[in-house]
Amino acid sequence: MAQWTSAVGAAQLARLLNSQQERPAGPGTRRPPAYRALADGIRLLVLEGRVPVAARLPAERELALSLSVSRTTVAAAYEALRAEGFLESRRGAGSWTAVPAGNPLPARGLEPLPPETLGSMIDLGCAALPAPEPWLTRAVQGALEELPPYAHTHGDYPAGLPALRQTLADRYTARGIPTMPEQIMVTTGAMGAIDAICHLFAGRGERIAVESPSYANILQLMREAGARLVPVAMAERLAGWDMDRWRQVLRDAAPRLAYVVADFHNPTGALADEDQRRQLVDAARSAGTVLVVDETMSELHLDEGFERPRPVCGFDPAGSTVITVGSASKAFWAGMRIGWVRAAPDVIRSLVAARAYADLGTPVLEQLAVNWLLSTGGWEQAVDVRRDQARENRDALVGALRRELPDWEFDVPRGGLTLWVRTGGLSGSRLAEVGERVGVRVPSGPRFGVDGAFEGYVRLPFTVGGAVADEAAARLAAAARLVRSGASGGAEGPRTFVA
């Protein structure tokens, strides 16, 4: 059985290689042999995630024709990649990309720090802001006033409180997506929603297509569920979704599920336009793939004059293809563990039935608090404050990074909570390791890829501003200097990845 889960055509690989910026050679510097330059180019594409891990590469003759080089050059490049662990081959099955065993996924960088450590460590690990007050307190007080009738019941509501289901359905309807309460299930956060969906639709060994990069916690959830992840590379810059790649992967790999963050993607911040959303739904429907759309960042638009695109489920009027997941955790507060699923009524019934063997239901008091926010206007007021805070933090962090680390590259997203940063050729894993010793905590790029891709990246959330953002950038610059000098304290020297 072949070990590859997607394929990269010769013309597509040639375009990706040609798009790499050639680094000018210094005086007296000799250019590497052609095969070495080709091998380095492919290796960089894998490490940056632009070519997925486990992607079948074109045959030597096909690639040689597309690049206008000799077949010997391609054969030598492939052999060099095999020797370095970036390519695996088997007679009759072809060659596919890989990541060496020495490049494990980092284990740290996303778990919240204990509160007692926050005085000495700047935590950029979690994309979450403090609670918006006074709305949190008011919501809890409002929930307590509504609690007595529910206290006389058993308290288990596997589908969620009827009042909150109705409120959520009304919000979708107000956006032009007619929705009944029977299409809503309330969950314990978005993670609980996606975990339930994966268990219902994708048993152990099933394929799930995911963006590459994607949200690290969801990737880990799917791995632990036994799914086979099929990465689909994002387009360059903030262009988002490469629909040719999505159609090819959905057609060739036939995944049972596909998971996407179309609104201010985590970690890149990209926003899918309406045409991309329409094409994605059409491609999933044609392939028989269930499309799980994460909308947890959708309300965090930060630029003036922004018009929210139509929800992805709006392009699936029959409701047979798209399952939407939302949450209060990003837009309001991470401590408010309330999420929800919008899907066809039969899907909701199946999810609710399966829930009896999981968590039975979501805490009533928190559901009442979210319902109070959504039904009184408190939600809109709190989210407006959230946007202002995230915008100020984003602008402060961007300015500090450009001042302290001018060789780091990133595009400024129009919303969300995260900045996806290319680290000037330095190892993101090494930066994360050294950063903790100089007092700044960041998650490295490989956490957001499949099987160790994105080594040259880190994710920086908009969770600090002002002088703290300045200090965070200064500490990152100090970590970068240590990594470049090889003084990071480990036995292995710093790794740089340049084409």
Side-chain angles (χ1 to χ4, degrees), residues 12 16 33 36 64 77 102 117 132 158-159 178 187 206 208 282 287 294 300 319 347 402 405 430 451 468 477:
Q12 179 186 0
L16 290 170
R36 184 68 262 172
T117 67
T187 63
E206 291 275 8
I208 301 178
D282 290 344
D294 185 334
L300 292 175
V347 172
R402 286 176 172 164
L405 291 154
R430 186 66 61 156
D451 297 331
V468 181

PDB file of all heavy atoms in Angstrom, residues 12 16 33 36 64 77 102 117 132 158-159 178 187 206 208 282 287 294 300 319 347 402 405 430 451 468 477:
ATOM      1  N   GLN A  12       3.032  22.011 -10.980  1.00  0.00           N
ATOM      2  CA  GLN A  12       2.781  22.691  -9.707  1.00  0.00           C
ATOM      3  C   GLN A  12       4.062  22.807  -8.894  1.00  0.00           C
ATOM      4  O   GLN A  12       4.367  23.869  -8.336  1.00  0.00           O
ATOM      5  CB  GLN A  12       1.729  21.927  -8.911  1.00  0.00           C
ATOM      6  CG  GLN A  12       1.416  22.524  -7.555  1.00  0.00           C
ATOM      7  CD  GLN A  12       0.466  21.660  -6.739  1.00  0.00           C
ATOM      8  OE1 GLN A  12       0.035  20.609  -7.180  1.00  0.00           O
ATOM      9  NE2 GLN A  12       0.143  22.106  -5.542  1.00  0.00           N
ATOM     10  N   LEU A  16       6.115  26.243  -7.621  1.00  0.00           N
ATOM     11  CA  LEU A  16       6.491  26.500  -6.224  1.00  0.00           C
ATOM     12  C   LEU A  16       7.985  26.745  -6.101  1.00  0.00           C
ATOM     13  O   LEU A  16       8.429  27.639  -5.371  1.00  0.00           O
ATOM     14  CB  LEU A  16       6.076  25.321  -5.353  1.00  0.00           C
ATOM     15  CG  LEU A  16       4.563  25.143  -5.144  1.00  0.00           C
ATOM     16  CD1 LEU A  16       4.281  23.804  -4.477  1.00  0.00           C
ATOM     17  CD2 LEU A  16       4.004  26.283  -4.314  1.00  0.00           C
ATOM     18  N   PRO A  33      25.886  22.973  -6.594  1.00  0.00           N
ATOM     19  CA  PRO A  33      25.522  22.239  -7.813  1.00  0.00           C
ATOM     20  C   PRO A  33      24.012  22.267  -8.031  1.00  0.00           C
ATOM     21  O   PRO A  33      23.231  22.439  -7.089  1.00  0.00           O
ATOM     22  CB  PRO A  33      26.009  20.814  -7.520  1.00  0.00           C
ATOM     23  CG  PRO A  33      27.008  20.949  -6.422  1.00  0.00           C
ATOM     24  CD  PRO A  33      26.604  22.137  -5.626  1.00  0.00           C
ATOM     25  N   ARG A  36      21.924  20.022  -5.858  1.00  0.00           N
ATOM     26  CA  ARG A  36      21.873  20.443  -4.469  1.00  0.00           C
ATOM     27  C   ARG A  36      20.865  21.590  -4.279  1.00  0.00           C
ATOM     28  O   ARG A  36      20.096  21.623  -3.308  1.00  0.00           O
ATOM     29  CB  ARG A  36      23.261  20.885  -4.023  1.00  0.00           C
ATOM     30  CG  ARG A  36      23.416  21.264  -2.573  1.00  0.00           C
ATOM     31  CD  ARG A  36      23.258  20.070  -1.653  1.00  0.00           C
ATOM     32  NE  ARG A  36      21.922  19.984  -1.084  1.00  0.00           N
ATOM     33  CZ  ARG A  36      21.495  18.957  -0.381  1.00  0.00           C
ATOM     34  NH1 ARG A  36      22.272  17.904  -0.179  1.00  0.00           N
ATOM     35  NH2 ARG A  36      20.278  18.942   0.111  1.00  0.00           N
ATOM     36  N   ALA A  64      11.946  16.834 -14.556  1.00  0.00           N
ATOM     37  CA  ALA A  64      13.057  17.347 -15.361  1.00  0.00           C
ATOM     38  C   ALA A  64      12.540  18.160 -16.537  1.00  0.00           C
ATOM     39  O   ALA A  64      13.067  19.239 -16.854  1.00  0.00           O
ATOM     40  CB  ALA A  64      13.927  16.186 -15.847  1.00  0.00           C
ATOM     41  N   ALA A  77      19.010  14.909  -6.934  1.00  0.00           N
ATOM     42  CA  ALA A  77      18.315  15.665  -5.895  1.00  0.00           C
ATOM     43  C   ALA A  77      17.441  14.747  -5.055  1.00  0.00           C
ATOM     44  O   ALA A  77      17.430  14.828  -3.820  1.00  0.00           O
ATOM     45  CB  ALA A  77      17.477  16.772  -6.533  1.00  0.00           C
ATOM     46  N   GLY A 102      14.475  12.897  13.345  1.00  0.00           N
ATOM     47  CA  GLY A 102      15.075  13.848  14.276  1.00  0.00           C
ATOM     48  C   GLY A 102      14.356  15.169  14.361  1.00  0.00           C
ATOM     49  O   GLY A 102      14.789  16.073  15.051  1.00  0.00           O
ATOM     50  N   THR A 117       3.512  32.228  37.389  1.00  0.00           N
ATOM     51  CA  THR A 117       4.700  32.450  36.562  1.00  0.00           C
ATOM     52  C   THR A 117       4.565  33.670  35.659  1.00  0.00           C
ATOM     53  O   THR A 117       5.525  34.040  34.983  1.00  0.00           O
ATOM     54  CB  THR A 117       4.987  31.218  35.696  1.00  0.00           C
ATOM     55  OG1 THR A 117       3.927  31.066  34.730  1.00  0.00           O
ATOM     56  CG2 THR A 117       5.092  29.964  36.541  1.00  0.00           C
ATOM     57  N   PRO A 132     -13.609  40.135  29.384  1.00  0.00           N
ATOM     58  CA  PRO A 132     -14.109  41.513  29.240  1.00  0.00           C
ATOM     59  C   PRO A 132     -15.063  41.852  30.382  1.00  0.00           C
ATOM     60  O   PRO A 132     -16.083  41.191  30.579  1.00  0.00           O
ATOM     61  CB  PRO A 132     -14.841  41.484  27.895  1.00  0.00           C
ATOM     62  CG  PRO A 132     -15.300  40.065  27.753  1.00  0.00           C
ATOM     63  CD  PRO A 132     -14.281  39.216  28.466  1.00  0.00           C
ATOM     64  N   PRO A 158     -28.644  17.269  26.976  1.00  0.00           N
ATOM     65  CA  PRO A 158     -27.629  16.813  26.010  1.00  0.00           C
ATOM     66  C   PRO A 158     -27.558  17.669  24.750  1.00  0.00           C
ATOM     67  O   PRO A 158     -26.486  17.814  24.169  1.00  0.00           O
ATOM     68  CB  PRO A 158     -28.071  15.378  25.703  1.00  0.00           C
ATOM     69  CG  PRO A 158     -28.850  14.955  26.902  1.00  0.00           C
ATOM     70  CD  PRO A 158     -29.549  16.178  27.380  1.00  0.00           C
ATOM     71  N   ALA A 159     -28.680  18.236  24.329  1.00  0.00           N
ATOM     72  CA  ALA A 159     -28.654  19.091  23.136  1.00  0.00           C
ATOM     73  C   ALA A 159     -28.408  20.549  23.479  1.00  0.00           C
ATOM     74  O   ALA A 159     -28.175  21.363  22.590  1.00  0.00           O
ATOM     75  CB  ALA A 159     -29.973  18.965  22.372  1.00  0.00           C
ATOM     76  N   PRO A 178     -31.431  30.653   7.309  1.00  0.00           N
ATOM     77  CA  PRO A 178     -32.570  30.154   8.088  1.00  0.00           C
ATOM     78  C   PRO A 178     -32.187  28.920   8.899  1.00  0.00           C
ATOM     79  O   PRO A 178     -31.649  27.948   8.363  1.00  0.00           O
ATOM     80  CB  PRO A 178     -33.607  29.816   7.011  1.00  0.00           C
ATOM     81  CG  PRO A 178     -33.241  30.679   5.843  1.00  0.00           C
ATOM     82  CD  PRO A 178     -31.740  30.764   5.874  1.00  0.00           C
ATOM     83  N   THR A 187     -22.321  22.645  23.085  1.00  0.00           N
ATOM     84  CA  THR A 187     -21.233  21.750  23.493  1.00  0.00           C
ATOM     85  C   THR A 187     -20.335  22.434  24.518  1.00  0.00           C
ATOM     86  O   THR A 187     -20.474  23.626  24.794  1.00  0.00           O
ATOM     87  CB  THR A 187     -20.385  21.352  22.271  1.00  0.00           C
ATOM     88  OG1 THR A 187     -19.780  22.545  21.718  1.00  0.00           O
ATOM     89  CG2 THR A 187     -21.228  20.680  21.200  1.00  0.00           C
ATOM     90  N   GLU A 206      -9.721   6.671   9.464  1.00  0.00           N
ATOM     91  CA  GLU A 206     -10.351   7.483   8.419  1.00  0.00           C
ATOM     92  C   GLU A 206      -9.478   8.700   8.106  1.00  0.00           C
ATOM     93  O   GLU A 206      -8.778   9.228   8.965  1.00  0.00           O
ATOM     94  CB  GLU A 206     -11.733   7.961   8.883  1.00  0.00           C
ATOM     95  CG  GLU A 206     -12.756   6.866   9.002  1.00  0.00           C
ATOM     96  CD  GLU A 206     -13.444   6.567   7.685  1.00  0.00           C
ATOM     97  OE1 GLU A 206     -13.007   7.130   6.643  1.00  0.00           O
ATOM     98  OE2 GLU A 206     -14.406   5.785   7.694  1.00  0.00           O
ATOM     99  N   ILE A 208      -8.889  12.632   7.228  1.00  0.00           N
ATOM    100  CA  ILE A 208      -9.455  13.960   7.438  1.00  0.00           C
ATOM    101  C   ILE A 208      -8.530  14.963   6.753  1.00  0.00           C
ATOM    102  O   ILE A 208      -7.339  15.031   7.065  1.00  0.00           O
ATOM    103  CB  ILE A 208      -9.589  14.313   8.926  1.00  0.00           C
ATOM    104  CG1 ILE A 208     -10.487  13.296   9.650  1.00  0.00           C
ATOM    105  CG2 ILE A 208     -10.151  15.719   9.093  1.00  0.00           C
ATOM    106  CD1 ILE A 208     -10.634  13.560  11.141  1.00  0.00           C
ATOM    107  N   ASP A 282     -18.671  23.233  -2.946  1.00  0.00           N
ATOM    108  CA  ASP A 282     -18.938  22.446  -4.153  1.00  0.00           C
ATOM    109  C   ASP A 282     -17.984  21.259  -4.260  1.00  0.00           C
ATOM    110  O   ASP A 282     -18.389  20.144  -4.597  1.00  0.00           O
ATOM    111  CB  ASP A 282     -18.823  23.318  -5.402  1.00  0.00           C
ATOM    112  CG  ASP A 282     -19.954  24.338  -5.516  1.00  0.00           C
ATOM    113  OD1 ASP A 282     -20.971  24.180  -4.807  1.00  0.00           O
ATOM    114  OD2 ASP A 282     -19.805  25.297  -6.299  1.00  0.00           O
ATOM    115  N   ALA A 287     -17.072  15.350  -3.698  1.00  0.00           N
ATOM    116  CA  ALA A 287     -16.239  14.253  -3.200  1.00  0.00           C
ATOM    117  C   ALA A 287     -16.953  13.415  -2.142  1.00  0.00           C
ATOM    118  O   ALA A 287     -16.410  12.403  -1.695  1.00  0.00           O
ATOM    119  CB  ALA A 287     -14.936  14.809  -2.631  1.00  0.00           C
ATOM    120  N   ASP A 294     -14.917  25.854  11.178  1.00  0.00           N
ATOM    121  CA  ASP A 294     -14.672  26.452  12.494  1.00  0.00           C
ATOM    122  C   ASP A 294     -14.858  27.959  12.386  1.00  0.00           C
ATOM    123  O   ASP A 294     -14.074  28.651  11.736  1.00  0.00           O
ATOM    124  CB  ASP A 294     -13.251  26.093  12.928  1.00  0.00           C
ATOM    125  CG  ASP A 294     -12.914  26.565  14.334  1.00  0.00           C
ATOM    126  OD1 ASP A 294     -13.514  27.549  14.800  1.00  0.00           O
ATOM    127  OD2 ASP A 294     -12.030  25.959  14.966  1.00  0.00           O
ATOM    128  N   LEU A 300     -14.157  38.434  15.117  1.00  0.00           N
ATOM    129  CA  LEU A 300     -13.002  39.254  15.505  1.00  0.00           C
ATOM    130  C   LEU A 300     -12.390  39.962  14.298  1.00  0.00           C
ATOM    131  O   LEU A 300     -11.199  39.864  14.024  1.00  0.00           O
ATOM    132  CB  LEU A 300     -11.975  38.389  16.221  1.00  0.00           C
ATOM    133  CG  LEU A 300     -12.426  37.873  17.588  1.00  0.00           C
ATOM    134  CD1 LEU A 300     -11.395  36.928  18.171  1.00  0.00           C
ATOM    135  CD2 LEU A 300     -12.693  39.029  18.550  1.00  0.00           C
ATOM    136  N   GLY A 319     -27.991  21.680   3.438  1.00  0.00           N
ATOM    137  CA  GLY A 319     -27.453  21.270   4.735  1.00  0.00           C
ATOM    138  C   GLY A 319     -26.843  19.894   4.762  1.00  0.00           C
ATOM    139  O   GLY A 319     -26.631  19.333   5.842  1.00  0.00           O
ATOM    140  N   VAL A 347     -28.220  15.089  11.729  1.00  0.00           N
ATOM    141  CA  VAL A 347     -26.858  15.064  12.266  1.00  0.00           C
ATOM    142  C   VAL A 347     -26.871  15.452  13.742  1.00  0.00           C
ATOM    143  O   VAL A 347     -26.202  14.829  14.576  1.00  0.00           O
ATOM    144  CB  VAL A 347     -25.936  16.008  11.457  1.00  0.00           C
ATOM    145  CG1 VAL A 347     -24.569  16.135  12.130  1.00  0.00           C
ATOM    146  CG2 VAL A 347     -25.786  15.503  10.032  1.00  0.00           C
ATOM    147  N   ARG A 402       8.732  44.756  13.770  1.00  0.00           N
ATOM    148  CA  ARG A 402       9.418  45.407  12.647  1.00  0.00           C
ATOM    149  C   ARG A 402      10.626  46.206  13.118  1.00  0.00           C
ATOM    150  O   ARG A 402      11.600  46.359  12.387  1.00  0.00           O
ATOM    151  CB  ARG A 402       8.428  46.297  11.898  1.00  0.00           C
ATOM    152  CG  ARG A 402       7.440  45.493  11.057  1.00  0.00           C
ATOM    153  CD  ARG A 402       6.399  46.359  10.393  1.00  0.00           C
ATOM    154  NE  ARG A 402       5.600  45.581   9.445  1.00  0.00           N
ATOM    155  CZ  ARG A 402       4.444  45.968   8.936  1.00  0.00           C
ATOM    156  NH1 ARG A 402       3.935  47.161   9.285  1.00  0.00           N
ATOM    157  NH2 ARG A 402       3.781  45.209   8.089  1.00  0.00           N
ATOM    158  N   LEU A 405      13.078  43.013  14.891  1.00  0.00           N
ATOM    159  CA  LEU A 405      13.412  41.848  14.057  1.00  0.00           C
ATOM    160  C   LEU A 405      13.021  42.139  12.610  1.00  0.00           C
ATOM    161  O   LEU A 405      12.102  41.513  12.052  1.00  0.00           O
ATOM    162  CB  LEU A 405      12.691  40.605  14.574  1.00  0.00           C
ATOM    163  CG  LEU A 405      13.182  40.094  15.935  1.00  0.00           C
ATOM    164  CD1 LEU A 405      12.093  39.329  16.658  1.00  0.00           C
ATOM    165  CD2 LEU A 405      14.417  39.220  15.754  1.00  0.00           C
ATOM    166  N   ARG A 430      13.811  25.774  17.912  1.00  0.00           N
ATOM    167  CA  ARG A 430      14.919  26.269  18.713  1.00  0.00           C
ATOM    168  C   ARG A 430      14.586  27.624  19.345  1.00  0.00           C
ATOM    169  O   ARG A 430      14.918  27.882  20.504  1.00  0.00           O
ATOM    170  CB  ARG A 430      16.167  26.381  17.837  1.00  0.00           C
ATOM    171  CG  ARG A 430      17.429  26.743  18.579  1.00  0.00           C
ATOM    172  CD  ARG A 430      17.843  25.650  19.525  1.00  0.00           C
ATOM    173  NE  ARG A 430      18.127  24.414  18.827  1.00  0.00           N
ATOM    174  CZ  ARG A 430      18.906  23.471  19.296  1.00  0.00           C
ATOM    175  NH1 ARG A 430      19.484  23.628  20.459  1.00  0.00           N
ATOM    176  NH2 ARG A 430      19.085  22.359  18.627  1.00  0.00           N
ATOM    177  N   ASP A 451       3.297  16.329  10.896  1.00  0.00           N
ATOM    178  CA  ASP A 451       4.575  15.612  10.851  1.00  0.00           C
ATOM    179  C   ASP A 451       5.776  16.523  10.721  1.00  0.00           C
ATOM    180  O   ASP A 451       6.724  16.225   9.997  1.00  0.00           O
ATOM    181  CB  ASP A 451       4.579  14.581   9.713  1.00  0.00           C
ATOM    182  CG  ASP A 451       3.533  13.506   9.925  1.00  0.00           C
ATOM    183  OD1 ASP A 451       3.222  13.215  11.096  1.00  0.00           O
ATOM    184  OD2 ASP A 451       3.023  12.970   8.936  1.00  0.00           O
ATOM    185  N   VAL A 468       4.529  45.905  27.055  1.00  0.00           N
ATOM    186  CA  VAL A 468       4.735  44.452  27.118  1.00  0.00           C
ATOM    187  C   VAL A 468       5.032  43.902  25.723  1.00  0.00           C
ATOM    188  O   VAL A 468       5.874  43.015  25.555  1.00  0.00           O
ATOM    189  CB  VAL A 468       3.520  43.752  27.745  1.00  0.00           C
ATOM    190  CG1 VAL A 468       3.754  42.242  27.820  1.00  0.00           C
ATOM    191  CG2 VAL A 468       3.245  44.302  29.132  1.00  0.00           C
ATOM    192  N   ALA A 477      14.068  38.945  20.016  1.00  0.00           N
ATOM    193  CA  ALA A 477      15.302  39.308  19.316  1.00  0.00           C
ATOM    194  C   ALA A 477      16.521  38.729  20.043  1.00  0.00           C
ATOM    195  O   ALA A 477      17.473  38.259  19.405  1.00  0.00           O
ATOM    196  CB  ALA A 477      15.413  40.827  19.206  1.00  0.00           C
TER     197      ALA A 477
END
